[in-house]
């Protein structure tokens, strides 16, 4: 209710909120979060130093309780919480936080492990010697003072620092709508750069960078690459990559990675704990044990390696996944005349030099004023006590005066003195009236007059003022300069983990249950067609190998699931396992849904190559005969949860995926032995989430089993394989070209003996073939051993199958011409990749378990003996297995 005499003023809430928010944001920017470009200090740090200056806790005095210092700063200058002042003071005392600490702390002031400092009542502090240079000449009217929060005291608005503090210690802070993150630098280098600027005001930033090479962090480490440094110096913004400093040692009988310096602002304990988690999750294999052996002598973290680990590879994994490599994002924003500005290296030096120039002028003016005041008094002394008669006369005036005022006036009238001079004479001790003291007064007066002339020369001579600034800076360098701590690796850049991973040929295997691994090609050998082969992988019960992929470590793998989603992995990110290892579940590597399953993949080169991804297309086919073509560019931005590759309708699933270049021919095969061929251009390119178009028309109960992409129609042949081990090679041109969406032509004479078609692949005589059956047996054969046959023939037996076993998957591989066929004791295995695209189709699972999972050792020995016998005497093709008769 409005009281009498009161008046209500309506205010627009939008305007009021805008005004209040601007006031708040400016307060945060100017009075809290951003440093001043001149002294490099935020208000809280400036107040801590001034509070300690007022308490007299200099570097040559005894320590004072931190609580006393904090209380003094709070009560006089900083009206905020005590933790804000204490936390700021603690950071100013931590040698791992500031390149040149400004507070000398005694007690527990925290650690690099993130341990908090002891309470302020337990710790003590005093100023560091270098802080004396920050506060030097503060009492000589060198800077402006402003009222404190309650106008009861004054405080400096800036410090008259001789130290280029913003450069050497940097700063960080978050304001409203802006933030600053300035890197620390070496004091000696900074002084050299400033001196070079004073000598030549037109100096370029590149020339300054010959003196101040790069940031110099308190914790040392290695600056990896120079582009970020160059950007930061030139523009005030840049991303600097930091790496820990490491060396390799032998600890006991193991290799070990020893870390002696960590990147700036890294919490050592958190880094070690996170690394241990990654080792436990198998994201960083090869580490046996991690120990923190840091002590008073310095930092030492030991990563003890397993016997089979390659130190450089493990180190690179540590760089990739842990804080042993971090980035420091430089954002040089500071207050210039009360306004935030982004500054490059030369800007920072310019503003510091201008500040020092002003300090020198104001200091000289103050000293000149004091010298003139002293000279004035000395002139009065010489007038009164210059001769014995004058002295006697002055003494007589004082003795016969009734009071000091009368005496002062008498001296003024008699000797033509000023009041100041007369008062100084009255204040003289009798001892100063001797003849010896008169000589001292005259000598002092002469010295003062010389000083006055010198001060006047300084004020009238700008080059001399800059020379003074230079000399003072060189003195600072002599006193406090030290060696650079952070090394620079000029050859470094954005870390690429493949730099230390050999780009060797590998074989990827994926089981029906979704277990994946990569195995070096060297674990496999070669056999002739018709051999039985040996165990290729250990699988779980009721599981079998469904896909086999030939690749190299540095390539990309795009996984496509039956629900139409696409996921990414680099080949080297797939866990390595021996030939008989079962591998890791795919769900542990990519975020695939529990009820989804990988159906196809594409192996590609660099997805960051814009020209490559725009030239290539992804062609997919579903079980119901739908085909879709999309630019590879749509799949070039990996996401953790994958992306939608194709819209899948009910009772359908994605089956195959290939890369094409726009000039290919597409062939789609069905389980009933039909195949269709049409040009890729018949399929128009659509968006990533579209459903696609009809690729082949299916008969009742028929379904697509695979697709190939043919590029060389003259020389390529088509290989089709049935589930009971029959296969056939036919020239691509034997399949007449039709329109998309037709029923296709017969590709294999399907009978009960052959079983349904399970795979289609394009091959040449130079290719090899890797065959894996459901029991885990693998065999490799050369394609030049299979002659090209007619399109509708039954084909030949490609592999001898035991009992009710059947083929699970095939893959095209490259034959090593230097390797001779092995005897029965050698193991069957694929070679390296021949083309960019290999695709596998799903085969219905039978009740047969893998050979490696069968029973006890006695049973296993019998099976191996039978395999050995059949390898020595491979079964020849019977007439009905190699017929070329038409259907």
């Amino acid at each position: 209710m409005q009281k009498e005499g009161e008046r209500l003023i309506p205010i627009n809430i939008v305007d009021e909120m805008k005004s209040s928010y601007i006031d708040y944001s400016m307060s945060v920017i100017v009075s809290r979060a951003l440093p001043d470009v001149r002294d490099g200090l935020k208000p809280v740090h400036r107040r801590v130093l001034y509070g300690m200056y007022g308490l007299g806790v200099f570097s040559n005095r005894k320590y004072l309780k931190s609580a006393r210092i904090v209380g003094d700063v709070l009560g006089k200058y900083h009206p905020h919480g005590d933790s804000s002042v204490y936390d700021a003071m603690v950071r100013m005392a931590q040698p791992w936080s500031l390149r040149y600490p400004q507070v000398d702390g005694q007690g527990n002031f925290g650690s690099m492990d993130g341990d908090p400092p002891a309470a302020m009542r337990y710790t003590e502090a005093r100023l560091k010697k270098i802080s004396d240079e920050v506060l030097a000449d503060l009492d000589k009217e060198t800077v402006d003072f402003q009222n404190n929060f309650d106008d009861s005291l004054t405080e400096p608005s800036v410090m008259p620092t001789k130290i280029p503090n913003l450069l050497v210690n940097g700063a960080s802070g978050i304001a409203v709508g802006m933030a600053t993150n300035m890197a620390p630098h070496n004091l000696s280098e900074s002084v050299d750069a400033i001196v070079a600027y004073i000598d030549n005001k037109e100096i370029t930033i590149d020339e300054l960078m010959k003196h101040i090479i790069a940031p110099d962090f308190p914790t040392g480490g290695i600056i990896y690459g120079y582009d970020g440094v160059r950007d930061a110096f030139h523009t005030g913004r840049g991303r600097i990559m930091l790496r820990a400093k490491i060396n390799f040692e032998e600890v006991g009988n193991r290799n070990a990675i020893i870390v002696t310096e960590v990147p700036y602002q890294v919490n050592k304990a958190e880094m070690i704990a996170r690394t241990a988690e990654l080792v436990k999750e198998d994201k960083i294999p090869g580490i046996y044990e991690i120990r923190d052996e840091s002590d008073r002598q310095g930092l030492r973290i030991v990563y003890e390696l397993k016997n089979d680990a390659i130190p450089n590879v493990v180190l690179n994994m540590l760089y990739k996944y842990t804080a042993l490599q971090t980035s420091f994002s430089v954002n040089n924003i500071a207050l210039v005349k009360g306004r935030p500005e982004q500054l490059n290296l030369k800007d920072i030096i310019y503003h510091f030099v201008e500040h020092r120039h002003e300090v020198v002028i104001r200091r000289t003016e103050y000293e000149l004023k004091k010298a003139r005041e002293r000279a004035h008094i000395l002139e009065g002394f010489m007038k009164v006590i210059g001769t014995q008669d004058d002295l006697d006369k002055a003494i007589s005036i004082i003795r016969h005066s009734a009071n000091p005022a009368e005496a002062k006036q008498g001296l003024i009238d008699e000797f033509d003195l000023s009041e100041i001079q007369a008062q100084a004479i009255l204040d003289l001790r009798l001892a100063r009236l001797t003849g010896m003291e008169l000589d001292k007064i005259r000598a002092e007066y002469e010295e003062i007059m010389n000083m006055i002339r010198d001060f006047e020369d300084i004020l009238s001579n700008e080059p001399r003022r800059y020379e003074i600034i230079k000399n003072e800076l060189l003195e600072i360098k002599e006193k406090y300069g030290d060696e650079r701590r952070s090394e620079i690796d000029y050859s470094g850049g954005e870390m690429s983990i493949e730099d230390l991973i050999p780009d060797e040929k590998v074989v990827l295997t994926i089981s029906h249950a979704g277990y994946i691994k990569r195995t070096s090609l060297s674990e496999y050998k070669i056999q002739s067609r018709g051999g039985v082969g040996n165990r290729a992988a250990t699988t779980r019960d009721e599981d079998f190998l469904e896909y086999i992929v030939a690749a190299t470590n540095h390539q990309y793998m795009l996984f496509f699931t039956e629900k139409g989603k696409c996921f990414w992995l680099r080949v080297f990110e797939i866990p390595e396992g021996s030939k008989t290892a079962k591998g890791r579940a795919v769900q542990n590597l990519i975020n695939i849904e529990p009820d989804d399953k990988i159906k196809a993949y594409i192996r590609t080169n660099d997805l960051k190559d814009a020209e490559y991804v725009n030239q290539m297309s992804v062609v997919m086919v579903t079980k119901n005969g739908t085909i879709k073509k999309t630019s590879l560019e749509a799949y070039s931005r990996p996401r953790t949860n994958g992306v939608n590759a194709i819209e899948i309708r009910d009772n359908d699933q994605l089956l195959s995926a290939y890369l094409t270049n726009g000039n290919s021919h597409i062939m789609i095969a069905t389980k009933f032995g039909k195949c269709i061929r049409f040009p890729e251009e018949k399929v128009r390119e659509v968006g990533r989430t579209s459903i696609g178009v009809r690729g082949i028309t299916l008969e009742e109960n028929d379904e697509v089993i695979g697709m190939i992409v043919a590029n060389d129609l003259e020389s390529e042949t088509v290989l089709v394989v049935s589930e009971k081990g029959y296969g056939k090679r036919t020239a691509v041109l034997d399949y007449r070209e039709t329109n998309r969406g037709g029923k296709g032509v017969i590709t294999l004479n399907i009978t009960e003996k052959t079983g349904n078609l399970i795979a289609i692949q394009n091959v040449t005589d130079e290719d090899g073939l890797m065959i894996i059956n459901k029991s885990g047996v693998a065999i490799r054969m050369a394609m030049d051993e299979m002659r090209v046959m007619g399109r509708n023939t039954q084909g030949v037996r490609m592999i001898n199958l035991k009992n009710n076993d059947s083929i699970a998957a095939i893959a095209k591989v490259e034959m090593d011409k230097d390797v001779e066929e092995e005897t029965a004791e050698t193991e069957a295995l694929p070679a390296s990749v021949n083309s960019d695209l290999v695709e596998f189709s799903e085969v219905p699972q039978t009740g047969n378990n893998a050979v490696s999972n069968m029973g006890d050792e006695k049973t296993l020995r019998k099976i191996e003996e039978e395999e050995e016998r059949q390898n020595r005497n491979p079964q020849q093709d019977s007439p009905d297995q190699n017929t070329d008769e038409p259907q």
Side-chain angles (χ1 to χ4, degrees):
M1 184 175 177
Q2 185 175 352
K3 297 180 180 178
E4 186 178 350
E6 289 184 340
R7 185 164 59 96
L8 295 177
I9 303 173
I11 297 175
N12 186 305
I13 190 170
V14 174
D15 294 338
E16 179 65 20
M17 290 295 292
K18 185 185 297 183
S19 173
S20 298
Y21 189 73
I22 289 174
D23 291 344
Y24 163 73
S25 62
M26 287 306 298
S27 173
V28 172
I29 290 168
V30 176
S31 304
R32 189 183 303 177
L34 299 184
D36 192 294
V37 71
R38 295 169 292 178
D39 62 3
L41 297 171
K42 298 182 190 178
V44 65
H45 302 120
R46 192 177 299 117
R47 287 163 178 167
V48 167
L49 292 177
Y50 188 60
M52 297 176 78
Y53 172 85
L55 289 169
V57 282
F58 299 107
S59 57
N60 58 352
R61 308 282 179 86
K62 68 175 183 177
Y63 292 94
L64 194 64
K65 279 287 185 185
S66 298
R68 172 70 191 280
I69 297 169
V70 171
D72 212 56
V73 173
L74 279 180
K76 292 180 177 179
Y77 313 114
H78 198 68
H80 299 280
D82 58 356
S83 62
S84 65
V85 176
Y86 187 52
D87 289 348
M89 189 180 81
V90 164
R91 188 174 181 276
M92 294 166 76
Q94 292 175 336
W96 61 89
S97 294
L98 261 64
R99 181 64 178 82
Y100 298 91
Q102 297 162 329
V103 172
D104 182 6
Q106 182 167 267
N108 175 13
F109 274 74
S111 74
M112 287 183 68
D113 290 334
D115 299 321
M120 68 181 83
R121 61 183 179 274
Y122 299 122
T123 61
E124 296 178 332
R126 64 183 178 187
L127 289 169
K128 280 273 192 181
K129 182 67 177 172
I130 197 170
S131 295
D132 295 346
E133 312 295 345
V134 176
L135 297 160
D137 304 325
L138 186 59
D139 57 349
K140 294 182 179 180
E141 298 178 359
T142 50
V143 294
D144 292 332
F145 277 67
Q146 61 192 17
N147 289 336
N148 68 343
F149 59 91
D150 63 356
D151 297 342
S152 60
L153 297 168
T154 59
E155 59 177 319
S157 59
V158 67
M159 289 295 181
T161 175
K162 294 181 181 179
I163 307 289
N165 197 57
L166 192 62
L167 267 180
V168 300
N169 275 329
S172 65
I174 300 173
V176 178
M178 64 185 68
T180 186
N181 200 34
M182 306 182 75
H185 298 81
N186 183 271
L187 177 61
S188 299
E189 292 180 4
S190 300
V191 168
D192 289 341
I194 296 170
V195 168
Y197 168 80
I198 293 172
D199 289 338
N200 175 20
K201 300 289 180 59
E202 303 302 319
I203 192 170
T204 65
I205 293 176
D206 286 328
E207 289 171 333
L208 286 172
M209 289 168 62
K210 294 177 182 177
H211 302 282
I212 184 165
I213 306 169
D216 188 24
F217 296 96
T219 54
I222 297 171
I223 295 172
Y224 189 65
Y226 202 66
D227 290 343
V229 174
R230 190 178 292 107
D231 291 342
F233 282 161
H234 277 271
T235 68
R237 293 179 71 92
R239 185 167 173 266
I240 299 173
M241 196 68 70
L242 301 177
R243 281 184 166 184
K245 188 176 290 186
I246 64 98
N247 54 70
F248 297 108
E249 292 181 11
E250 282 195 13
V251 177
N253 60 348
R254 297 181 185 274
N255 289 324
I257 297 171
I258 310 298
V259 177
T260 55
E261 294 176 5
V262 296
Y264 184 46
Q265 294 177 332
V266 166
N267 185 310
K268 175 164 62 71
E270 286 184 3
M271 180 188 74
I272 293 173
R274 177 57 185 153
T275 305
E277 289 177 9
L278 292 170
V279 171
K280 192 174 181 180
E281 295 169 1
D282 280 343
K283 287 189 176 178
I284 304 181
I287 294 180
Y288 174 73
E289 186 179 12
I290 306 173
R291 294 190 303 276
D292 185 359
E293 297 181 355
S294 305
D295 56 19
R296 290 178 179 271
Q297 305 304 315
L299 185 144
R300 179 181 167 90
I301 306 170
V302 180
Y303 297 88
E304 208 169 306
L305 306 183
K306 296 177 180 177
N307 292 330
D308 59 345
I310 302 172
N312 273 341
V313 174
V314 175
L315 175 62
N316 213 41
M317 298 291 282
L318 288 169
Y319 281 148
K320 180 177 177 65
Y321 292 113
T322 75
L324 284 189
Q325 174 172 299
T326 61
S327 62
F328 185 91
S329 296
V330 175
N331 188 18
N332 292 342
I333 293 181
L335 294 176
V336 179
K337 297 179 180 178
R339 298 173 64 88
E341 287 187 16
Q342 185 140 15
L343 308 166
N344 61 32
L345 176 62
K346 189 174 179 180
D347 293 335
I348 295 172
I349 292 174
Y350 163 78
H351 288 296
F352 173 74
V353 171
E354 289 302 298
H355 175 56
R356 282 302 300 162
H357 187 235
E358 183 183 352
V359 167
V360 168
I361 291 174
R362 294 179 64 162
R363 180 184 66 192
T364 306
E365 288 174 344
Y366 174 83
E367 290 174 338
L368 176 61
K369 181 181 71 172
K370 291 296 182 184
R372 284 173 173 165
E373 289 174 358
R374 181 62 180 167
H376 181 61
I377 291 172
L378 292 175
E379 287 170 354
F381 288 168
M382 288 187 293
K383 283 182 181 180
V384 174
I385 59 177
T387 64
Q388 186 64 43
D389 290 342
D390 289 337
L391 178 60
D392 292 343
K393 191 182 296 183
I395 293 172
S396 176
I397 290 171
I398 295 170
R399 287 181 60 189
H400 292 93
S401 297
N403 52 55
E406 185 179 328
K408 182 192 293 186
Q409 189 60 45
L411 291 172
I412 292 172
D413 294 340
E414 180 66 29
F415 297 101
D416 191 22
L417 301 176
S418 68
E419 285 196 18
I420 296 174
Q421 289 173 325
Q423 185 62 47
I425 290 170
L426 289 175
D427 292 339
L428 271 177
R429 293 165 49 205
L430 290 176
R432 299 295 303 274
L433 301 179
T434 64
M436 188 180 294
E437 284 299 319
L438 179 60
D439 292 337
K440 287 182 180 180
I441 289 171
R442 287 172 176 162
E444 183 184 353
Y445 179 74
E446 194 63 36
E447 182 183 349
I448 289 291
M449 293 309 294
N450 289 333
M451 288 175 61
I452 289 172
R453 286 189 290 272
D454 188 50
F455 292 146
E456 288 173 340
D457 181 65
I458 290 173
L459 291 173
S460 62
N461 189 343
E462 184 178 276
R464 188 177 172 200
R465 294 197 294 272
Y466 283 110
E467 195 65 28
I468 290 171
I469 297 170
K470 274 176 53 178
N471 292 334
E472 289 180 348
L473 283 168
L474 292 172
E475 287 178 15
I476 293 294
K477 176 184 174 182
E478 184 68 25
K479 284 184 183 178
Y480 308 105
D482 56 4
E483 294 296 320
R484 160 173 284 279
R485 295 181 189 174
S486 296
E487 297 178 5
I488 305 168
D489 184 351
Y490 291 96
S491 63
E494 287 294 328
M495 197 274 292
S496 178
I497 193 167
E498 57 264 28
D499 291 343
L500 294 179
I501 293 180
D503 193 21
E504 64 181 7
K505 297 173 181 178
V506 295
V507 175
L508 306 180
T509 54
I510 306 173
S511 77
H512 182 76
Y515 284 81
I516 186 171
K517 72 173 188 292
R518 65 182 166 94
T519 307
S520 175
L521 185 64
S522 60
E523 288 204 30
Y524 293 90
K525 306 289 182 178
I526 187 171
Q527 281 187 331
S528 297
R529 176 174 65 83
V532 175
N534 293 89
R535 290 191 309 267
T538 300
T539 54
R540 305 179 71 180
D541 291 345
E542 302 299 325
D543 193 12
F544 59 86
L545 295 180
E546 189 172 3
Y547 302 95
I548 179 168
V549 183
T552 60
N553 272 333
H554 288 188
Q555 290 177 315
Y556 285 78
M557 294 296 300
L558 270 59
F559 294 89
F560 294 85
T561 72
E562 64 180 20
K563 289 187 175 183
K565 295 203 75 174
C566 175
F567 296 87
W568 293 259
L569 273 183
R570 299 298 294 271
V571 170
F572 59 72
E573 293 177 324
I574 297 170
E576 187 171 12
S578 67
K579 182 161 58 76
T580 56
K582 72 178 182 180
R584 287 274 303 280
V586 173
Q587 286 84 349
N588 293 339
L589 303 177
I590 58 179
N591 294 336
I592 186 173
E593 296 178 8
D595 59 341
D596 205 355
K597 184 179 180 182
I598 292 174
K599 282 294 183 179
Y601 73 90
I602 287 178
R603 193 189 64 237
T604 78
N605 297 326
D606 192 356
L607 290 176
K608 297 177 183 177
D609 185 340
E611 183 178 356
Y612 171 75
V613 297
N614 283 304
Q615 285 179 348
M616 306 300 288
S617 298
V618 177
V619 175
M620 291 165 279
V621 69
T622 71
K623 186 172 68 172
N624 289 347
T626 299
I627 190 169
K628 177 186 172 183
K629 178 181 173 183
T630 306
S631 171
L632 177 62
E633 194 276 335
Y635 303 97
S636 63
R637 292 171 290 278
R639 296 181 191 170
T640 304
N641 294 321
V643 298
N644 292 324
I646 184 174
E647 181 184 343
I648 298 295
R649 298 275 174 89
D650 293 340
N651 301 319
D652 198 3
Q653 63 184 36
L654 181 65
L655 195 64
S656 302
Y658 271 89
L659 272 185
T660 62
N661 57 17
N663 302 313
S664 305
H665 276 237
I666 295 169
M667 299 182 68
I668 302 173
T670 74
K671 74 176 182 180
F672 287 171
K674 292 293 186 71
C675 183
I676 187 171
R677 175 170 74 90
F678 53 85
E680 175 190 346
E681 62 190 29
K682 298 281 187 180
V683 184
R684 70 178 185 276
E685 195 166 277
V686 295
R688 181 166 54 79
T689 57
S690 300
I691 191 170
V693 294
R694 172 63 56 190
I696 186 171
T697 300
L698 300 174
E699 298 176 7
E700 187 177 356
N701 296 325
D702 199 3
E703 61 185 44
V704 174
I705 54 90
M707 171 182 70
I708 63 171
V709 173
N711 295 305
D712 187 351
L713 302 182
E714 298 293 332
S715 63
E716 287 187 20
T717 58
V718 179
L719 172 70
V720 290
V721 180
S722 72
E723 60 185 347
K724 294 190 178 179
Y726 286 83
K728 180 187 63 174
R729 281 182 67 190
T730 308
V732 171
L733 291 176
D734 273 9
Y735 296 84
R736 70 176 185 272
E737 181 180 323
T738 66
N739 285 324
R740 172 183 58 80
K743 291 186 176 181
V745 297
I746 295 174
T747 183
L748 185 71
N749 187 19
I750 299 297
T751 65
E752 185 177 346
K753 180 172 66 176
T754 64
N756 288 330
L757 205 63
I758 64 110
I760 180 172
Q761 187 59 265
N762 51 339
V763 295
T764 65
D765 284 348
E766 286 73 35
D767 293 328
L769 191 70
M770 180 69 186
I771 303 173
I772 292 185
N773 62 28
K774 293 180 182 178
S775 60
V777 173
I779 188 170
R780 180 178 156 207
M781 60 179 291
M783 278 293 93
D784 56 9
E785 295 184 15
M786 285 193 69
R787 62 186 177 88
V788 180
M789 306 176 187
R791 175 174 55 79
N792 58 354
T793 56
Q794 185 177 340
V796 298
R797 183 182 295 277
M798 300 181 65
I799 183 171
N800 290 328
L801 300 173
K802 297 178 181 179
N803 303 325
N804 294 321
D805 202 1
S806 59
I807 294 177
I810 68 167
K812 181 173 65 176
V813 294
E814 183 181 279
M815 298 300 293
D816 189 345
K817 300 301 181 184
D818 297 328
V819 179
E820 297 181 357
E821 293 184 356
E822 302 288 343
T823 63
E825 285 77 20
T826 62
E827 296 176 325
L829 186 284
S832 67
V833 66
N834 182 41
S835 76
D836 280 345
L837 303 170
V838 186
E839 184 272 334
F840 297 97
S841 304
E842 181 183 7
V843 181
Q845 180 179 354
T846 68
N848 297 337
N849 292 337
V851 172
S852 58
N853 290 327
M854 289 186 178
D856 54 27
E857 292 185 8
K858 186 174 180 181
T859 304
L860 190 57
R861 264 198 312 275
K862 288 182 179 180
I863 293 171
E864 289 175 342
E865 289 171 2
E866 176 64 17
E867 289 175 351
E868 194 172 319
R869 184 187 65 77
Q870 295 196 34
N871 280 342
R872 291 197 184 97
N873 303 288
Q875 180 180 344
Q876 298 300 314
D877 293 326
S878 57
D880 65 333
Q881 292 173 324
N882 195 19
T883 177
D884 206 11
E885 295 296 324
Q887 295 186 83

